[in-house]
Amino acid sequence: MAFIRGYLIPRLIQYVLVIWLGITLVFIIPRLTPNDPVMRVVGELRGRGSTLEPGTMDQVIADLTEMYGLQGSWLDQYWAFWGRLFRADFGVSFFQFPTRVNHLIATAAPWTMALLLTTTAISWTMGNIFGGLAGYYSRKPWSRTLDVIAMVIRPLPYYIFSFALLLIFAYVVRWFPITGGAQLGAIPTWKWSYIKDVLWHSVLPAMSLIILGVAVNFQTMKLIVQNINAESFVQYAKLGGVTEDRIVGRYIIRNGMLPQITGLALSLGQIFSGALITEIVFSYPGLGSLLYNAIINGDYNLIMGITVFSIVTITTAILILDLTYPLFDPRVRYN
Amino acid sequence: MKILRDLFRDYRFAVSFCILAVLVFMALLSFFSPYDPTLWNVVPRDLKPSLKYLLGTDSNGQDIFWMACFAVRNSLIIALIATLVSRIIAILVGMLAGYKGGATDRVLMFISDTLLVIPLFLIMVLLAMLVREYMNLVVLGLLLSFFGWAWDARLIRSVILSLREREFTKNAILSGTGTLNLVLNEYMPFTMPLIFSTLINNMAWAIGLEITLAILGLVNMTIPTLGTMLNWAINYQAILLGRWWWILTPVTLSIFLFIALYWLSVSISEYLDPRTRIQRVGAG
């Protein structure tokens, strides 16, 4: 009971509030700009009118008018906005008329989620193990070498790092396909040949996310472990004759992982943004590439849809991570 | 002088100092450029690097070396605007939350937590799309600054929280020091090192985001920055056509810039932390 009242309920309230604030930002931002977004989009659409199917324009204008709310006070508009969100209705996409935004997101999201989940899991685990070992043996030459490599990679933003990888694999060594998610025209099935093709195409985007992620986790973990190293229980274990492997593996790294779980939760939003950007570099068919097309074509409905979807998904993922935290922390678990 | 000498013992500080010196020199050099960065076709197109055109020329007929000087200057200007304004917000929020506590603290920290947690990049895209036609260095800098303060406000708050419990706070209050005076004159010196190290990190963040927004075409393409240079090169298929000198210039410059800023901040914050300083320069 104490857990529910002291931890679960405040955390759930925070979750709801974060989503509320995030979505309210999405609602307010277009209204703060000096020009009427709907009229601007309508103007842009008129400019391209000839390339559109008849009926597109009316539909899009109707959608936009409702979405950005031209009728009623701000409060009315705000209610209508939430009403649409609860029905998960983001209207139709303009650059792929008349496909609904929901459908586009549903097609792209699994690609992003698969890429994001696997790379985050791999880079978190690898970064913690390497960082833990390097922190414990911080005076060994290999530890210092790893540290310098991490120092070089870590500051690079996702875009620059993926782009540098792209250049290397486009010019110097041509081992992996540098664009796309699968062979052009391949039909998605559960056959091994198709799965192999998808995996083969995801090597580069996954690699750039993993290398950057490992560098970040490596450095934070190394710092945490160096601090734990100075604590008296480690000295005591050493004096008591506990083997080094056991000290590192069971005492130090496991203790260091706890703050790393919190760290992962806090940086998930950034990792997600990074994945979107990486997808754009490698034209990987996930939400990032969808977003890129939406920006190029000025598709507001789609951008709004992706933004709202991402806010809800990421916040939920962080909530799940936070709620499972007690499972990892024996102090909380045994209470 | 002693501080500088101690700092230079760290190879990271020495390396980043040299890189930044070169980049700042390039930025200053842009004031003496023989070409106007807004004009096209001032030199022959698509020439390889040579003595006459140090880094070659691009498909717009511009000299890449001089464009790079402008790009470094403008990227640094954006970063400085974004960083300085967001420092002001971070200091205000951090000090207010830390000193006032209670409901003020909870509301401010809730806002900053939200900014940390949601995928900000998408919100910035949304915002940048709407102000695209007003986009210039200042607008972009301000846009970045509104979103770049959350983490640093949190750090400043935690320092203030511990300062508030110290003896001298009570002394100051009992001897009639006003809140503003107390915070600005007594607390500020303690937070300065932290503010300085977050300043460098924030600059790197701002430059990185500028590059990302520029790649998406959301900034003013006529102003040369590291991001817009890269965007032009990609748009003109410089990779496909083998014009490596065009694509590599912004990429290499950015890589060096990011590494230099990061190493500088790590080196300075390690120096400011007495525990790590003793390891490095000895107790003397």
Side-chain angles (χ1 to χ4, degrees), chain A residues 53-71:
Chain A
E53 304 231 351
T56 311
M57 193 110 109
D58 299 336
Q59 177 77 47
V60 172
I61 292 175
D63 265 343
L64 285 171
T65 316
E66 200 192 322
M67 197 73 174
Y68 293 99
L70 285 179
Q71 309 95 348

Side-chain angles (χ1 to χ4, degrees), chain B residues 258-271:
Chain B
F258 286 114
I259 292 177
L261 288 174
Y262 180 62
W263 287 16
L264 194 68
S265 100
V266 171
S267 182
I268 289 178
S269 54
E270 270 184 22
Y271 180 79

Side-chain angles (χ1 to χ4, degrees), chain B residues 23-60:
Chain B
L23 290 175
V24 170
F25 178 72
M26 275 180 79
L28 292 178
L29 211 57
S30 71
F31 289 103
F32 305 99
S33 164
Y35 310 109
D36 181 347
T38 55
L39 293 181
W40 286 10
N41 298 321
V42 286
V43 290
R45 291 182 197 183
D46 300 324
L47 294 179
K48 285 196 175 178
S50 62
L51 276 180
K52 188 154 184 241
Y53 307 108
L54 280 177
L55 293 173
T57 62
D58 64 20
S59 303
N60 290 336

Side-chain angles (χ1 to χ4, degrees), chain A:
Chain A
M1 267 325 276
F3 169 75
I4 294 178
R5 240 183 304 140
Y7 185 71
L8 189 66
I9 292 180
R11 188 63 191 79
L12 283 176
I13 293 175
Q14 198 201 6
Y15 167 74
V16 173
L17 281 175
V18 166
I19 290 188
W20 167 77
L21 188 62
I23 296 203
T24 305
L25 269 181
V26 175
F27 171 82
I28 292 176
I29 284 170
R31 287 168 177 75
L32 290 183
T33 47
N35 48 359
D36 183 340
V38 178
M39 289 329 285
R40 238 194 72 200
V41 177
V42 170
E44 272 175 32
L45 291 192
R46 292 240 160 80
R48 315 181 189 207
S50 56
T51 61
L52 290 176
E53 304 231 351
T56 311
M57 193 110 109
D58 299 336
Q59 177 77 47
V60 172
I61 292 175
D63 265 343
L64 285 171
T65 316
E66 200 192 322
M67 197 73 174
Y68 293 99
L70 285 179
Q71 309 95 348
S73 66
W74 270 41
L75 203 63
D76 295 338
Q77 297 171 20
Y78 193 55
W79 275 117
F81 186 75
W82 274 104
R84 272 186 88 138
L85 293 190
F86 270 114
R87 279 176 276 127
D89 172 17
F90 300 111
V92 293
S93 160
F94 146 60
F95 94 97
Q96 286 190 17
F97 190 81
T99 322
R100 298 201 76 78
V101 167
N102 287 1
H103 179 72
L104 289 175
I105 293 179
T107 327
W111 289 88
T112 303
M113 292 307 152
L115 183 70
L116 195 66
L117 278 178
T118 38
T119 55
T120 310
I122 293 175
S123 57
W124 191 80
T125 320
M126 277 173 57
N128 280 339
I129 293 173
F130 291 147
L133 291 174
Y136 187 75
Y137 300 107
S138 58
R139 304 210 168 263
K140 297 263 167 82
W142 59 264
S143 165
R144 285 165 187 244
T145 317
L146 282 181
D147 196 37
V148 174
I149 296 173
M151 288 284 290
V152 171
I153 294 173
R154 173 162 184 191
L156 301 180
Y158 285 95
Y159 190 87
I160 293 291
F161 184 72
S162 333
F163 197 70
L165 269 194
L166 179 95
L167 288 180
I168 293 172
F169 283 92
Y171 278 130
V172 189
V173 282
R174 298 180 190 196
W175 294 339
F176 305 108
I178 55 170
T179 57
Q183 208 86 55
L184 273 184
I187 300 142
T189 54
W190 284 108
K191 282 207 188 100
W192 172 238
S193 60
Y194 180 74
I195 296 174
K196 205 172 71 180
D197 190 33
V198 168
L199 288 178
W200 189 236
H201 275 81
S202 66
V203 170
L204 280 185
M207 202 156 82
S208 67
L209 287 171
I210 288 174
I211 295 176
L212 271 179
V214 169
V216 174
N217 283 313
F218 174 89
Q219 286 211 311
T220 42
M221 186 64 172
K222 185 167 176 266
L223 214 64
I224 294 170
V225 165
Q226 278 173 332
N227 286 330
I228 297 179
N229 231 346
E231 284 195 36
S232 41
F233 80 88
V234 179
Q235 303 295 324
Y236 186 74
K238 277 183 191 163
L239 292 175
V242 182
T243 58
E244 288 224 312
D245 291 348
R246 203 178 154 80
I247 296 181
V248 182
R250 290 196 56 98
Y251 299 158
I252 295 187
I253 292 190
R254 282 181 63 169
N255 268 310
M257 276 183 160
L258 286 176
Q260 287 287 75
I261 296 176
T262 321
L264 179 65
L266 272 178
S267 55
L268 211 56
Q270 275 174 31
I271 298 175
F272 178 78
S273 306
L276 295 188
I277 294 159
T278 309
E279 284 181 6
I280 295 173
V281 175
F282 295 106
S283 328
Y284 184 84
L287 288 174
S289 300
L290 192 62
L291 177 76
Y292 182 71
N293 285 325
I295 294 170
I296 299 292
N297 293 300
D299 193 337
Y300 281 81
N301 272 2
L302 190 48
I303 297 178
M304 291 266 264
I306 296 174
T307 310
V308 171
F309 174 81
S310 310
I311 290 176
V312 175
T313 316
I314 293 300
T315 323
T316 313
I318 294 170
L319 176 76
I320 294 170
L321 210 56
D322 272 356
L323 291 184
T324 51
Y325 180 83
L327 298 178
F328 297 104
D329 192 341
R331 283 165 303 187
V332 184
R333 193 171 55 212
Y334 291 131
N335 270 338

Side-chain angles (χ1 to χ4, degrees), chain B:
Chain B
M1 269 346 269
K2 189 183 172 305
I3 298 177
L4 263 185
R5 208 169 49 234
D6 282 346
L7 278 171
F8 266 106
R9 283 193 206 177
D10 184 2
Y11 74 97
R12 289 171 304 190
F13 185 85
V15 170
S16 51
F17 188 86
C18 295
I19 296 175
L20 286 177
V22 171
L23 290 175
V24 170
F25 178 72
M26 275 180 79
L28 292 178
L29 211 57
S30 71
F31 289 103
F32 305 99
S33 164
Y35 310 109
D36 181 347
T38 55
L39 293 181
W40 286 10
N41 298 321
V42 286
V43 290
R45 291 182 197 183
D46 300 324
L47 294 179
K48 285 196 175 178
S50 62
L51 276 180
K52 188 154 184 241
Y53 307 108
L54 280 177
L55 293 173
T57 62
D58 64 20
S59 303
N60 290 336
Q62 289 170 315
D63 185 300
I64 292 177
F65 174 76
W66 290 106
M67 286 308 275
C69 292
F70 281 111
V72 171
R73 180 178 96 192
N74 290 334
S75 283
L76 287 177
I77 291 176
I78 293 172
L80 279 176
I81 295 174
T83 305
L84 293 179
V85 176
S86 71
R87 274 339 65 185
I88 295 173
I89 304 176
I91 292 170
L92 284 178
V93 171
M95 293 203 163
L96 205 63
Y99 190 77
K100 287 267 178 187
T104 321
D105 182 32
R106 275 202 292 278
V107 170
L108 288 176
M109 284 305 106
F110 165 65
I111 295 174
S112 80
D113 277 354
T114 310
L115 287 184
L116 281 176
V117 160
I118 58 177
L120 262 191
F121 162 66
L122 286 165
I123 304 262
M124 308 225 24
V125 164
L126 204 62
L127 202 61
M129 264 199 92
L130 292 160
V131 294
R132 181 142 54 163
E133 53 203 74
Y134 305 94
M135 210 42 125
N136 57 33
L137 294 181
V138 179
V139 172
L140 185 57
L142 289 178
L143 187 68
L144 294 171
S145 71
F146 290 142
F147 294 99
W149 54 268
W151 182 252
D152 306 325
R154 219 159 222 296
L155 293 177
I156 293 169
R157 167 182 171 271
S158 64
V159 174
I160 299 292
L161 274 182
S162 75
L163 289 176
R164 202 177 56 168
E165 300 306 319
R166 298 255 288 263
E167 205 66 20
F168 77 88
T169 303
K170 294 187 189 98
N171 281 343
I173 293 173
L174 290 176
S175 54
T177 314
T179 308
L180 196 66
N181 194 356
L182 175 74
V183 169
L184 288 183
N185 293 331
E186 306 297 330
Y187 288 175
M188 204 60 163
F190 285 97
T191 51
M192 265 342 259
L194 181 70
I195 292 169
F196 188 71
S197 93
T198 63
L199 185 142
I200 302 172
N201 282 330
N202 198 259
M203 278 182 73
W205 174 81
I207 297 171
L209 213 50
E210 189 276 328
I211 292 178
T212 312
L213 290 177
I215 294 300
L216 299 175
L218 292 172
V219 304
N220 188 338
M221 283 299 150
T222 55
I223 303 174
T225 63
L226 290 171
T228 54
M229 254 188 111
L230 196 53
N231 187 320
W232 282 114
I234 293 171
N235 271 342
Y236 273 90
Q237 304 292 352
I239 311 178
L240 216 61
L241 299 171
R243 294 184 185 126
W244 48 268
W245 59 93
W246 190 6
I247 204 105
L248 280 185
T249 304
V251 172
T252 319
L253 282 174
S254 329
I255 290 178
F256 275 115
L257 182 57
F258 286 114
I259 292 177
L261 288 174
Y262 180 62
W263 287 16
L264 194 68
S265 100
V266 171
S267 182
I268 289 178
S269 54
E270 270 184 22
Y271 180 79
L272 293 172
D273 184 345
R275 280 167 303 182
T276 46
R277 177 167 45 184
I278 288 173
Q279 281 180 10
R280 199 191 320 155
V281 295

